[in-house]
Amino acid sequence: MTMKDIFNDILSPSGGAEVSIIPVLQGDALMKVNESDLPDSLPILALRNAVLFPGSVYPITIGRDKSIRLIEDAERTNAFIGAVPQNDLTVEDPHKEDLYTYGTVAKIVKTLEMPDGTITAILQGFKRFEIDSIVEYEPYMLGRVRYLDDYAPENDTKTRMIAESLKEKASSLIRLSPMVAREAAAAIKSIESFEFLVNFIATTIEVENFMDKVELLQYGDLRARAMKLLSVLDTQLELQKIKQEINQKVKSEIDQQQREYYLNNQLKTIQEELGMDDVEEFSQLRARAEEKLWSPEVQLIFEKEMAKLERYNPSSPDYSIQYNYINFMLDLPWGQISNDNLDLKNAKKVLDEDHFGLDTVKDRIIEYLAVLKLKGDMKSPILCLYGPPGVGKTSLGKSIARALGRKYVRIALGGVHDESEIRGHRKTYVGALPGRILNGINRAGTSNPVIVLDEVDKLSSDFKGDPSSALLEALDPEQNTAFHDNYLDIDYDLSNVLFITTANNIDTIQPALKDRMEMINVSGYLAEEKVEIAKNYLIPKQIKEHGLEKGQLKIEKSALTRIIDEYTRESGVRGLEKQIAKIARVTAKKIALEEEYPKSVKKDDLKEYLGLPTNSHDVQKGNEAPGVVTGLAWTQMGGEILFIESSVSKGKGQLSMTGNLGDVMKESAQIAFQYLKAHPELTGLSYEEFMERDIHVHVPEGAVPKDGPSAGITMVTSMVSAYRKKKVRSGIAMTGEMTLRGRVLPVGGIKEKILAAKRSGIHTIIISEENRKDVEDIKEIYIKGLTFVYVKGIQDVIDAAYGC
């Protein structure tokens, strides 16, 4: 077959989608191009693991969006392109510094769309060039280039000897290389042109070091390029010989392994004939089964599974799967229940030792123990502790286990999106495992541990199933007596397990799951409570963890108060513990360096230990100017204060809003504006004057998303203050949803909002009359020093804000 025949075969339509991997050399008539026909600037196609040489046709796989766009444009306009190798193959969007300096002018002969969405373009190389600069990067690179000539040597004896050496070495390398088609060797022998020969071999060979191939482009002297190519061929020949030796050695080792496998099978057959099988191991499994307190039904299933195991060949994969299943079945604590400590006083003492406050949760546990003590048997409650981070929800589960004398298991559910994490995989699957609940019971060794399902509100679902739906069976007291794990495939009794779930935001919990749990709100702490927690729990803990002695670190109450007020901003105590840990580290460093340090840390020493305060309470600024009113908000971190700012300017009676507001909050602002538009007398303006003014509402901290209806009355008060040019009373904050008729509706998160108000020095809170019952449910300690103004309508809100 001639070179022209190979070339025509690739370009023929009957070739379909299959592309030959042999680069094809062309005749002089096909290869030559006048430099005057070439443009000064070329679209640059970055090549990864490919080099195109002049006088060759080569298929290139195109996958990047910019490259596909370039190929499509060039094919449509029949334009020249520049094929340039890429230096760093990992760069997805290469720039000039990521490209090699030299490339080859090419035209697109044909493109083929591949099933995986990529394009294979057959490029025809013409002439080398050097990139001067990249003038554009979009929609793809466009480079200004300088064209380079190739200098062919005289057809003397030396040139012919070099050509013969190239053919010989290239043919040898092709025979050793599995990646190059054998037809390439025949093509090499038929080439007479020295230039074609060098470029064809350079394009054809596969090299270990890609840059060796790239460097060949820089040689304009074809004899110099040929000598460099001979050096590359010698290196590749040595590497291929080494690879062949390694492959031969590996093949011999595999043959030896197959021989050993065959002999081992023969040996096992002989042992079975002589009765030397796994009888002893099977007897041990049955002995363990006799100690289990399982039902006759489970015993029958065990015998069936053992019969399967005995039929399997120990060398088969099914044997290990079946053995692991039976082993897990025997590891489970069927009917094994630890004795509960029913001393109620001791339980209360343990709970108080570990946690300050949280009386609702503690009372519920004591109630459970009291019924258990009187009745002797009771289904365990399923509690959901919800509240802001750092208030002790997760650690409370550990304390409950200690108070009851039960084992403790924690299962983190944050980010879990596979149902099999809860129910397990079927044992027939490779790598199958039981679900997390049975795994936890297996680790505990008893059937009545305390299991904390942490962050149950952060479960997600996808095509693998919904884990929260899988939890419905486990957390339903009427169903969990027969919990079905896919791996075990036998009903297991979870009714004795005390499940405690934790969550930050119960709104994201599936309603059906929420209905099965007893919801207990674990709200944030007051500053006074945090001081007590720090003194009794956090400071002793950090002293122990940092290797200090009891008298080496003391923090005065005034210093703790300042830390809480100026260095933390939270409902819980996690940030407070971090600050105390920092003081402990600095103290430990001073002791280790034998430096002087204060035995008792005072509030004036905090700057040295903790740096400048990171939290400032700027509530008063909300009352120093007209149009600025303080509101109360609820977040997953607890309660927060926020400021609503309004500004009036001349205009056409329009409203504008900023501050990264959500749709619901924007609607609240629209309702407030429309209400004032319908009742301009509240603003002290006539309707005509109202319509001659624009108002702008802004909620500071624009980078933080904000949403919800509870800022409704705050927004209308801010607008009234701006229209009247009269500031509201100092020290007040408000929260409540408003309707278009001017009614004030109740909102949630009252306790968290009250704590935020107290932290910020607010003394008067305006809320809906319908929230009165929520305030009355809160302990006196939380609302001490606060005045509540209960309102029914917007007129009441305005009167309260101005003290009317």
Side-chain angles (χ1 to χ4, degrees):
M1 179 183 288
T2 65
M3 301 309 299
K4 187 173 182 181
D5 293 332
I6 297 174
F7 179 64
N8 290 335
D9 183 60
I10 283 186
L11 300 187
S12 64
S14 61
E18 294 192 5
V19 180
S20 173
I21 64 166
I22 306 174
V24 182
L25 272 290
Q26 309 150 49
D28 287 334
L30 290 171
M31 173 186 170
K32 301 303 180 184
V33 63
N34 293 326
E35 189 167 334
S36 59
D37 297 332
L38 297 174
D40 295 331
S41 298
L42 291 172
I44 302 299
L45 176 66
L47 304 181
R48 288 196 284 201
N49 281 323
V51 183
L52 181 67
F53 287 85
S56 64
V57 170
Y58 196 73
I60 304 293
T61 299
I62 309 296
R64 291 181 282 204
D65 293 339
K66 286 188 176 182
S67 300
I68 292 174
R69 175 77 180 274
L70 185 152
I71 292 295
E72 290 173 348
D73 290 351
E75 185 179 34
R76 186 175 63 254
T77 59
N78 194 29
F80 288 98
I81 65 172
V84 182
Q86 187 172 320
N87 283 333
D88 188 353
L89 306 183
T90 62
V91 176
E92 284 297 321
D93 188 13
H95 288 62
K96 185 177 186 298
E97 60 271 15
D98 303 315
L99 300 177
Y100 194 65
T101 309
Y102 297 92
T104 304
V105 182
K107 270 198 171 182
I108 299 167
V109 179
K110 189 176 183 180
T111 59
L112 302 170
E113 291 187 4
M114 295 299 164
D116 60 356
T118 59
I119 293 176
T120 295
I122 302 175
L123 302 183
Q124 174 184 350
F126 289 101
K127 194 177 186 66
R128 292 184 311 119
F129 65 83
E130 184 177 4
I131 299 176
D132 284 337
S133 61
I134 300 296
V135 295
E136 290 181 17
Y137 284 97
E138 296 296 337
Y140 38 75
M141 284 187 288
L142 184 67
R144 197 176 299 281
V145 301
R146 180 166 54 85
Y147 296 99
L148 306 173
D149 293 321
D150 288 344
Y151 304 103
E154 296 180 0
N155 189 19
D156 54 11
T157 303
K158 185 175 182 179
T159 301
R160 289 194 295 273
M161 290 300 99
I162 292 174
E164 288 300 322
S165 295
L166 284 172
K167 290 182 179 181
E168 180 182 345
K169 292 181 183 295
S171 299
S172 300
L173 185 58
I174 289 170
R175 284 194 299 271
L176 293 173
S177 177
M179 302 300 294
V180 182
R182 295 292 179 266
E183 291 83 358
I188 289 173
K189 291 179 181 179
S190 66
I191 298 174
E192 296 179 359
S193 167
F194 185 80
E195 179 179 0
F196 288 172
L197 178 67
V198 173
N199 289 339
F200 180 78
I201 295 173
T203 308
T204 304
I205 60 168
E206 297 289 333
V207 296
E208 292 291 327
N209 185 1
F210 175 68
M211 293 310 295
D212 287 342
K213 203 168 184 179
V214 173
E215 287 176 7
L216 294 172
L217 269 180
Q218 71 183 6
Y219 293 94
D221 186 340
L222 284 172
R223 182 176 287 180
R225 190 186 301 171
M227 295 303 294
K228 173 64 177 177
L229 182 57
L230 279 172
S231 174
V232 173
L233 290 173
D234 284 333
T235 303
Q236 288 303 119
L237 278 170
E238 289 299 320
L239 289 173
Q240 288 298 329
K241 288 176 182 177
I242 293 171
K243 281 184 179 180
Q244 276 203 331
E245 292 175 3
I246 294 172
N247 290 337
Q248 187 61 38
K249 186 177 180 181
V250 170
K251 185 176 182 299
S252 300
E253 290 176 356
I254 291 174
D255 290 341
Q256 179 64 22
Q257 289 174 1
Q258 290 176 338
R259 181 173 177 273
E260 289 175 358
Y261 176 79
Y262 173 77
L263 292 175
N264 282 329
N265 280 344
Q266 292 293 322
L267 180 61
K268 286 178 181 177
T269 303
I270 294 170
Q271 288 176 340
E272 288 174 1
E273 290 293 326
L274 295 175
M276 300 167 58
D277 51 10
D278 295 329
V279 172
E280 183 178 350
E281 189 171 2
F282 296 155
S283 299
Q284 291 175 356
L285 293 176
R286 284 197 163 86
R288 290 174 59 191
E290 290 177 0
E291 299 174 359
K292 290 295 170 185
L293 303 175
W294 51 30
S295 64
E297 292 80 7
V298 178
Q299 177 67 32
L300 182 62
I301 294 172
F302 170 77
E303 291 297 337
K304 288 181 178 178
E305 297 299 330
M306 279 297 301
K308 288 182 186 177
L309 180 66
E310 291 168 346
R311 288 197 299 269
Y312 288 139
N313 190 317
S315 61
S316 71
D318 290 336
Y319 180 89
S320 60
I321 292 173
Q322 187 70 7
Y323 181 83
N324 289 337
Y325 170 74
I326 292 177
N327 217 29
F328 176 75
M329 190 176 175
L330 291 170
D331 285 341
L332 283 173
W334 298 87
Q336 297 177 22
I337 296 176
S338 61
N339 295 323
D340 288 333
N341 185 349
L342 300 178
D343 186 346
L344 304 187
K345 292 182 179 179
N346 176 70
K348 191 173 188 313
K349 179 184 174 184
V350 170
L351 293 172
D352 289 338
E353 281 178 0
D354 294 344
H355 291 82
F356 182 85
L358 307 179
D359 294 333
T360 305
V361 188
K362 294 176 181 177
D363 289 344
R364 184 64 185 86
I365 298 302
I366 299 301
E367 290 168 4
Y368 166 69
L369 281 177
V371 176
L372 195 62
K373 185 175 183 178
L374 295 175
K375 187 172 180 283
D377 181 27
M378 180 188 176
K379 289 182 179 179
S380 296
I382 296 167
L383 309 178
C384 178
L385 311 180
Y386 69 94
V391 294
K393 301 184 297 296
T394 304
S395 59
L396 189 60
K398 202 168 193 176
S399 296
I400 292 171
R402 191 162 77 90
L404 295 174
R406 294 189 182 187
K407 297 284 184 155
Y408 169 76
V409 177
R410 175 181 170 270
I411 299 175
L413 297 180
V416 172
H417 56 84
D418 188 352
E419 179 192 352
S420 299
E421 294 283 340
I422 307 298
R423 280 209 181 110
H425 307 79
R426 297 197 179 278
K427 65 179 180 181
T428 52
Y429 296 150
V430 176
L433 292 171
R436 293 194 183 193
I437 292 177
L438 282 194
N439 238 337
I441 290 175
N442 186 25
R443 293 198 311 271
T446 65
S447 291
N448 66 333
V450 174
I451 295 183
V452 173
L453 301 175
D454 210 8
E455 310 291 0
V456 73
D457 59 323
K458 296 174 181 62
L459 286 169
S460 57
S461 60
D462 60 10
F463 65 93
K464 297 180 181 178
D466 184 0
S468 60
S469 297
L471 278 176
L472 294 177
E473 181 185 2
L475 299 184
D476 190 340
E478 300 302 323
Q479 298 182 43
N480 63 10
T481 54
F483 176 72
H484 193 87
D485 185 277
N486 291 329
Y487 181 81
L488 182 63
D489 205 20
I490 305 172
D491 291 342
Y492 193 90
D493 186 3
L494 299 180
S495 62
N496 294 307
V497 177
L498 176 55
F499 284 104
I500 298 175
T501 66
T502 71
N504 296 129
N505 183 10
I506 60 174
D507 293 336
T508 60
I509 301 176
Q510 189 187 109
L513 182 60
K514 193 190 304 183
D515 184 59
R516 283 163 169 77
M517 300 185 292
E518 187 175 335
M519 312 301 292
I520 299 178
N521 184 11
V522 184
S523 56
Y525 298 106
L526 294 172
E528 294 82 2
E529 290 179 313
K530 291 182 181 180
V531 169
E532 293 300 318
I533 292 171
K535 287 168 58 179
N536 298 326
Y537 302 93
L538 303 183
I539 295 176
K541 177 183 176 183
Q542 294 304 322
I543 287 175
K544 182 179 179 181
E545 290 187 355
H546 289 83
L548 302 175
E549 295 179 3
K550 191 173 182 181
Q552 289 180 325
L553 176 61
K554 292 182 180 179
I555 304 176
E556 291 187 355
K557 183 177 180 180
S558 59
L560 287 172
T561 303
R562 176 169 285 186
I563 294 173
I564 293 165
D565 193 47
E566 299 182 5
Y567 290 89
T568 64
R569 187 181 182 182
E570 58 179 351
S571 295
V573 292
R574 191 168 287 151
L576 175 60
E577 184 175 10
K578 291 177 183 177
Q579 299 299 332
I580 293 172
K582 190 173 182 181
I583 293 175
R585 288 196 300 272
V586 174
T587 303
K589 184 187 75 171
K590 289 178 179 292
I591 293 173
L593 295 175
E594 299 182 354
E595 298 176 357
E596 291 187 5
Y597 68 96
K599 298 294 183 182
S600 181
V601 179
K602 300 179 175 58
K603 63 179 182 179
D604 295 333
D605 300 325
L606 292 179
K607 186 175 179 181
E608 177 187 352
Y609 285 90
L610 304 178
L612 294 174
T614 57
N615 184 31
S616 60
H617 298 293
D618 48 2
V619 173
Q620 293 306 316
K621 80 175 185 182
N623 309 106
E624 291 177 355
V628 183
V629 180
T630 305
L632 298 174
W634 180 91
T635 69
Q636 292 188 27
M637 301 297 292
E640 292 286 348
I641 64 167
L642 61 98
F643 303 108
I644 307 293
E645 301 177 350
S646 296
S647 176
V648 175
S649 60
K650 289 184 179 181
K652 299 179 180 180
Q654 294 180 341
L655 167 69
S656 56
M657 296 166 283
T658 55
N660 201 353
L661 309 182
D663 291 339
V664 177
M665 203 164 184
K666 287 179 181 177
E667 288 176 0
S668 295
Q670 290 283 0
I671 291 170
F673 178 72
Q674 292 297 333
Y675 181 80
L676 292 180
K677 189 174 180 181
H679 302 83
E681 65 275 5
L682 289 175
T683 65
L685 303 173
S686 65
Y687 180 78
E688 290 74 16
E689 292 173 327
F690 186 91
M691 295 304 295
E692 292 175 353
R693 290 166 173 80
D694 288 345
I695 189 163
H696 182 100
V697 178
H698 175 67
V699 185
E701 298 186 33
V704 181
K706 310 166 193 74
D707 206 359
S710 64
I713 65 172
T714 314
M715 286 184 166
V716 74
T717 307
S718 173
M719 292 181 188
V720 169
S721 176
Y723 280 121
R724 291 185 180 183
K725 299 182 180 179
K726 182 180 178 182
K727 62 184 181 181
V728 300
R729 288 192 299 145
S730 62
I732 69 167
M734 58 190 71
T735 180
E737 181 180 356
M738 72 168 290
T739 69
L740 200 54
R741 294 177 296 156
R743 285 188 58 219
V744 179
L745 301 181
V747 292
I750 294 298
K751 186 176 180 182
E752 287 78 9
K753 293 176 181 179
I754 289 173
L755 292 176
K758 290 203 73 170
R759 285 199 304 267
S760 305
I762 290 168
H763 57 71
T764 303
I765 299 177
I766 303 173
I767 58 175
S768 170
E769 173 67 35
E770 296 179 49
N771 280 124
R772 185 189 291 268
K773 61 182 185 299
D774 299 310
V775 176
E776 291 173 351
D777 282 341
I778 299 173
K779 286 187 176 182
E780 180 66 27
I781 186 175
Y782 293 103
I783 59 177
K784 186 179 179 181
L786 292 175
T787 301
F788 292 90
V789 179
Y790 300 102
V791 294
K792 295 181 179 180
I794 295 302
Q795 184 64 58
D796 298 336
V797 176
I798 303 302
D799 292 343
Y802 285 102
C804 299

